[in-house]
Amino acid sequence: MGKTGKVYLVGAGPGDARLITLKGLDCLMKGDVVVYDRLANPSLLGKMKRGAEKIYVGKRTDRHTMKQEDINQLLVDLALTGKTVVRLKGGDPTIFGRVGEEAELLRKHGIPYEIVPGITAAISVPAYAGIPVTHRDMASSLSIITGHESPDKLDLSINWEKVTNATGTLVFMMGVAKIGYISKQLISYGRSPETPVALVRWGTRAEQETLTGTLVDIEQKVLEADFKPPAVIVVGEVVLQREQLKWAEFMPLFGKRILVTRSRAQASELVRQIEDLGGESYEFPVIDFEMPTGTALKETDEALSSLEEYDWTFFTSVNGVEFFFKHLERLGKDIRSLHKSRIAAVGPATKEALRRYGIAAEELPGRYQAEGLMEAFAGALQAGQKVLLPRGDLARTWLPETLREQGLAVTEAVMYATVPTGEEDDELVKLLREGRIHAVTFTSSSTVTNFLGAMKRMGFENPAETLQGTEIACIGPVTAKTAEEAGLHIGTLAEEATIDSLVTALCEWKKKEENID
C-alpha cells in the first residue's frame, strides 16, 4: 500500500472569497482534490492548482447531495490513495460544520489531518450588515445556536429557559424556516416581544439582503418578503446599530457579481478594483498566452535578429511588452539593440509595462487605440523607415496596413499566441442559468469569441440569448464591435481602453440601475 495522504479541514469563511485565511488559501492551492459544499464561494475553486480534482458534496434544504457519513468515508478513501485532500467548508468548520465527525473517522484510520479555522458567518455576516454582535452598552456576551432543525429537535437541542436570557445577543444559524417558532419560544421564555431581530441572507456575497423587525413581527415580515435561506438570525439590541453602521450597501458595486474573462495572469487588476468597490468578481479566464512555436517562432527570431535596424517600435499591448522581453532573454539580447529606434506605446497600461523595464515610451493621444499612433506621429513617420510591431497572433491588421500605405517597411513579429483555455465550470453554468451573473466584462475581441465558444461547450445553444438580461461591458469600440457582431447588446462601454475606465463605466451602470429601480 502506498503512502497515506493528508486531509486539511478548511474553513472558507462566510462567502466573500477574500475572507478565507492565508493558511486556508495555502492549503487550497496545494490540494490534489477539493471536497466542497455550496456555502464555500465557488470562485475559490479558481485558486486550486492545475489538474486538481473537485468534488461537490453540498447540501440544500430540499435535498442532500451526499450524506455526512458518506462524506466522512470519502475523505478517508481519498487520503488512502495518497492524495492531499482539502475539505472546504463554509464559515468555520468547528461551528455546526460537523468537523468533529470527519476528524474522528480520519483519526480512526490513522490519517493525518489539520483543522484550519475559518471566519464564522455568525460574526462576519452581521458585520457586513452593519451589526456588531457585541457592544459596550448593549451586549457583552454572545450565544451561537443552531436553528436548522424541526421544532421537536430544536426543543431537544436548545434549553430555551437558559438560552433565552443567557447572553445579550443570540445568533441562530440557518433558522429562517423556523423563525416563527424561534420567536414564540423566546417571547414565552422572557424576551420582550419588541426585541430587535435581523435576518441577513447570503451575507458577504453579491446576493446579500437584510430584513429587520422584532420578535413579534419578524415572522410576518419574512412571509411577506418571501425571505429564503440561507440566512443568519441576530436577536438583540445590537441590531439597532445597523442604521448607523451599515456600510456594504453603500459600496459602488455592492450586490453585483461581475464575470472577468481575461487571462488569469492579466485579471488581477480588474478583479481587485471590482472587489475594492464592493462587487463580487467571478474569474473565468477564457484565453491564455504562450510562446509561438514552429514556423511562427522562426519568423519571430528572424524579426528580432536585426533590432538595431529599426527606426520605430510600436508596442500595442502589455502582453506584447512582456513576451518581447522574454524573447530577448531567450536570444541573449537586451534593449540596447533598439538604440536607433523610437519607442511608442498604445495605452497607458502598455506604457507602464515598458516603464517597468526602464523604457520611457512616447506619448499617445487620449483615445488609446492603434489609430492614435497615426495621429500622434503622422509628421515624423517617413517613407522607407523600418517599423517593428511586436504583437500577438490575433492582432488587428489595420495598423501595419496603414503604415505600409504610407511607404514604411513594417515587420510584424508575433510575440505570443492566444489560445483558449478550454476550461469548463459547472458553478458558472448554474449562475448563468439562474441569472446570477449581473455583468460580463470583455477586454479584447478574443475574450468575446472564446467566452461564447466556452458557453456552447458548456451546453448553451444560444449564448447571446442566455446573456440578454446580463450587462455586457467592453473595454473599447473594437471589442464592442466583435460582441455586437456576435449578437450581444453592449450596455457599458469604457470611454478609454483602460481597466480604470472600464470599472468607472461599471459604477455608472450600477448607479443608473439604482435610479431606475
Side-chain angles (χ1 to χ4, degrees):
M1 190 172 179
K3 183 182 176 184
T4 300
K6 183 171 183 176
V7 178
Y8 294 93
L9 304 161
V10 178
D16 183 335
R18 293 174 300 169
L19 292 179
I20 192 172
T21 65
L22 288 173
K23 183 169 184 178
L25 184 60
D26 180 63
C27 293
L28 180 61
M29 293 170 70
K30 67 184 179 185
D32 299 313
V33 57
V34 176
V35 179
Y36 69 104
D37 60 45
R38 78 162 180 153
L39 295 181
N41 191 318
S43 68
L44 283 171
L45 300 177
K47 307 297 182 184
M48 293 165 57
K49 72 179 181 181
R50 189 180 292 273
E53 181 185 2
K54 56 186 178 184
I55 301 174
Y56 175 68
V57 295
K59 304 179 186 71
R60 296 190 175 93
T61 51
D62 58 336
R63 65 184 176 92
H64 282 214
T65 300
M66 187 179 287
K67 291 180 180 178
Q68 184 61 46
E69 295 77 11
D70 295 333
I71 296 173
N72 301 344
Q73 189 61 48
L74 175 65
L75 299 178
V76 170
D77 294 343
L78 289 168
L80 288 175
T81 65
K83 293 179 178 179
T84 298
V85 183
V86 176
R87 171 68 172 110
L88 191 65
K89 306 163 82 74
D92 179 275
T94 67
I95 297 183
F96 307 128
R98 304 185 75 169
V99 73
E101 299 167 49
E102 295 172 350
E104 187 178 345
L105 194 63
L106 293 169
R107 175 61 64 97
K108 183 178 177 181
H109 285 80
I111 296 169
Y113 65 87
E114 289 186 33
I115 298 174
V116 182
I119 298 175
T120 174
I123 294 169
S124 55
V125 166
Y128 266 57
I131 302 170
V133 292
T134 64
H135 187 278
R136 182 177 180 181
D137 300 323
M138 296 178 179
S140 58
S141 54
L142 165 71
S143 295
I144 302 174
I145 309 155
T146 180
H148 193 47
E149 300 284 358
S150 67
D152 289 345
K153 288 184 179 179
L154 278 175
D155 288 343
L156 287 173
S157 60
I158 300 172
N159 186 327
W160 291 104
E161 186 175 2
K162 291 184 177 179
V163 163
T164 300
N165 294 296
T167 57
T169 303
L170 307 177
V171 174
F172 290 86
M173 307 291 286
M174 305 294 291
V176 177
K178 311 296 183 298
I179 186 62
Y181 185 77
I182 291 170
S183 298
K184 288 182 178 69
Q185 288 296 87
L186 293 177
I187 292 170
S188 66
Y189 281 94
R191 278 273 174 149
S192 166
E194 300 306 316
T195 302
V197 181
L199 279 71
V200 188
R201 179 178 186 268
W202 283 117
T204 80
R205 297 292 301 277
E207 293 87 0
Q208 179 174 316
E209 184 181 357
T210 303
L211 181 69
T212 58
T214 63
L215 286 176
V216 76
D217 66 15
I218 192 64
E219 180 182 18
Q220 186 60 34
K221 287 189 173 184
V222 166
L223 292 171
E224 289 173 357
D226 194 26
F227 201 87
K228 301 292 186 184
V232 169
I233 301 168
V234 186
V235 178
E237 297 301 312
V238 291
V239 171
L240 298 176
Q241 290 288 295
R242 171 171 159 75
E243 286 309 308
Q244 296 176 339
L245 302 182
K246 62 182 176 183
W247 57 274
E249 291 96 328
F250 299 137
M251 301 283 277
L253 290 175
F254 170 77
K256 297 301 179 187
R257 182 177 290 108
I258 299 170
L259 189 69
V260 177
T261 57
R262 296 192 102 188
S263 71
R264 192 160 273 122
Q266 288 185 312
S268 58
E269 178 61 19
L270 179 55
V271 167
R272 183 189 64 78
Q273 290 202 38
I274 289 169
E275 293 178 348
D276 283 352
L277 293 168
E280 182 179 325
S281 64
Y282 193 105
E283 289 185 70
F284 182 67
V286 296
I287 55 172
D288 205 352
F289 306 105
E290 57 186 36
M291 284 281 200
T293 57
T295 302
L297 183 60
K298 287 180 183 177
E299 291 174 352
T300 298
D301 289 351
E302 186 178 340
L304 300 182
S305 66
S306 53
L307 291 174
E308 61 283 343
E309 296 180 8
Y310 294 108
D311 301 293
W312 294 89
T313 304
F314 292 147
F315 289 94
T316 57
S317 70
V318 172
N319 278 328
V321 173
E322 300 295 343
F323 277 90
F324 175 79
F325 282 94
K326 286 181 183 178
H327 285 289
L328 286 191
E329 183 179 359
R330 182 177 59 82
L331 296 171
K333 294 176 176 286
D334 63 35
I335 197 63
R336 288 175 296 180
S337 301
L338 280 177
H339 62 87
K340 177 185 174 185
S341 180
R342 290 176 65 176
I343 298 174
V346 173
T350 307
K351 183 180 178 184
E352 175 60 21
L354 285 165
R355 190 198 63 75
R356 289 195 294 270
Y357 286 99
I359 298 168
E362 299 199 40
E363 295 287 337
L364 288 178
R367 287 192 300 130
Y368 303 132
Q369 296 296 319
E371 288 83 342
L373 284 168
M374 304 309 300
E375 296 177 9
F377 302 115
L381 293 167
Q382 302 293 326
Q385 289 179 328
K386 292 187 175 182
V387 177
L388 176 66
L389 288 180
R391 58 218 314 252
D393 59 333
L394 301 182
R396 289 192 300 150
T397 60
W398 182 90
L399 182 58
E401 287 174 355
T402 304
L403 290 169
R404 288 183 182 118
E405 286 172 4
Q406 295 203 7
L408 286 92
V410 179
T411 300
E412 298 176 67
V414 174
M415 297 289 102
Y416 60 93
T418 305
V419 295
T421 61
E423 289 187 16
E424 295 187 14
D425 188 332
D426 292 340
E427 296 294 334
L428 177 58
V429 169
K430 184 169 176 259
L431 291 170
L432 286 167
R433 292 199 189 282
E434 294 175 356
R436 292 166 58 204
I437 294 292
H438 305 113
V440 179
T441 58
F442 293 119
T443 53
S444 66
S445 292
S446 57
T447 59
V448 176
T449 305
N450 284 292
F451 178 64
L452 297 179
M455 286 186 69
K456 286 184 178 178
R457 285 198 313 275
M458 293 188 292
F460 294 95
E461 290 183 16
N462 190 335
E465 188 177 307
T466 300
L467 295 173
Q468 274 185 354
T470 305
E471 186 73 3
I472 304 299
C474 293
I475 201 167
V478 175
T479 303
K481 183 181 178 185
T482 303
E484 285 173 346
E485 288 172 351
L488 300 178
H489 171 71
I490 313 305
T492 297
L493 179 62
E495 284 192 15
E496 296 176 346
T498 67
I499 295 300
D500 287 351
S501 184
L502 180 61
V503 172
T504 298
L506 285 168
C507 291
E508 290 300 316
W509 155 66
K510 167 83 185 318
K511 248 188 234 179
K512 286 177 188 172
E513 268 212 339
E514 287 176 341
N515 291 337
I516 291 170
D517 292 340

